[in-house]
Amino acid sequence: MQAFWLEQLNFLIRLVIAALCGVLIGYERESNLKLAGIRTHSIVALAASLITIISKYGFNDVLGTYISLDPSRIAAGIVTAIGFLGAGVIFTRKMSVSGLTTSAGLWATVGIGMAIGAGMYVPGIICTVLILIMQFFFQRNSHILKSPTVEKVVIHASENDDIVALINKVFVSHRIKIINFTISRFHEEELEIKLYVTFPEHCDMTQILTLMKEIPEILSIDISLD
């Protein structure tokens, strides 16, 4: 009887550690206002750990001379199942894709839960620490790693054959790359120009707007920055 309760305590410790690892990763994601936060990551890690424990120990009572089971089969299904959850946090917005890091984090959290559920405490905890370090130091808005952002710019301007060239001149002078643009008639003799542009890091938006105002054909400009 004592051996039984010691085994159950061991399982409980694994579940708690897996959930705590999920909480740590989820806290980092939630602090950056991501959709999948503490609850999602902790539940994923806890469930992965539980399923791994079931896969490894849940069928010991039916094993015998004529019955043998592969303990990795159920656990292997977790990797497939997490793909559906991971896909749910990936979004295509404007001309950029968001949610890939969170999706990868969920996938890694499953691995951590499985490792701890299998009794591999050290690899699971070390992996948690490494993920937190990478998320903290290499997040998009960190000072260590900056990446250009793709944003939408909507300009209303008087009809002029050279208006796009004038706008492009301002953008080029600030190393802003135009990825794509469309021009449509907004009102009579007024054009609506929608541009998808890549803003470099440390972009001086005030200076750009000032230069835009110097183009008499431009009536209004809307830069959608997040």
Side-chain angles (χ1 to χ4, degrees):
M1 183 62 70
Q2 184 178 4
F4 170 80
W5 287 112
L6 286 175
E7 183 182 46
Q8 300 308 306
L9 178 61
N10 183 26
F11 294 158
L12 177 60
I13 292 173
R14 297 184 189 189
L15 293 173
V16 171
I17 293 176
L20 288 176
C21 290
V23 166
L24 293 175
I25 298 174
Y27 176 79
E28 186 280 329
R29 291 284 82 195
E30 194 164 298
S31 64
N32 285 285
L33 304 179
K34 302 302 180 181
L35 291 177
I38 294 176
R39 289 183 298 176
T40 303
H41 284 79
S42 59
I43 291 173
V44 164
L46 178 64
S49 179
L50 175 62
I51 295 172
T52 302
I53 292 173
I54 294 172
S55 182
K56 189 173 181 180
Y57 303 102
F59 305 96
N60 288 339
D61 57 331
V62 299
L63 295 178
T65 306
Y66 302 103
I67 300 177
S68 60
L69 301 173
D70 180 3
S72 67
R73 291 185 65 184
I74 295 179
I78 305 174
V79 180
T80 303
I82 193 59
F84 295 96
L85 186 60
V89 298
I90 300 175
F91 295 93
T92 302
R93 183 181 59 87
K94 292 180 277 189
M95 293 191 70
S96 62
V97 178
S98 61
L100 288 175
T101 303
T102 301
S103 180
L106 285 171
W107 184 59
T109 303
V110 164
I112 292 169
M114 293 175 67
I116 295 175
M120 303 172 66
Y121 300 103
V122 174
I125 294 173
I126 289 177
C127 185
T128 301
V129 173
L130 290 176
I131 289 175
L132 291 173
I133 291 174
M134 289 186 289
Q135 296 279 41
F136 179 78
F137 285 104
F138 300 111
Q139 60 179 303
R140 186 177 183 180
N141 297 322
S142 69
H143 297 290
I144 298 176
L145 183 64
K146 282 281 188 178
S147 60
T149 58
V150 178
E151 300 296 344
K152 180 181 179 180
V153 179
V154 179
I155 297 174
H156 289 142
S158 302
E159 189 169 0
N160 187 324
D161 294 337
D162 298 327
I163 186 63
V164 175
L166 294 172
I167 295 171
N168 185 60
K169 183 178 179 181
V170 174
F171 284 168
V172 168
S173 66
H174 287 78
R175 296 185 295 114
I176 300 173
K177 182 180 179 182
I178 297 177
I179 299 176
N180 186 24
F181 71 92
T182 59
I183 301 177
S184 60
R185 187 172 298 280
F186 188 69
H187 291 303
E188 187 177 353
E189 297 184 355
E190 183 178 336
L191 302 175
E192 182 179 70
I193 306 171
K194 295 180 180 179
L195 307 100
Y196 288 99
V197 300
T198 302
F199 288 102
E201 57 179 292
H202 309 305
C203 186
D204 189 351
M205 298 305 304
T206 304
Q207 188 177 3
I208 294 172
L209 291 174
T210 301
L211 291 173
M212 286 292 186
K213 291 178 181 178
E214 295 178 358
I215 302 176
E217 289 83 0
I218 293 181
L219 303 176
S220 67
I221 178 171
D222 178 22
I223 301 178
S224 302
L225 286 174
D226 295 332

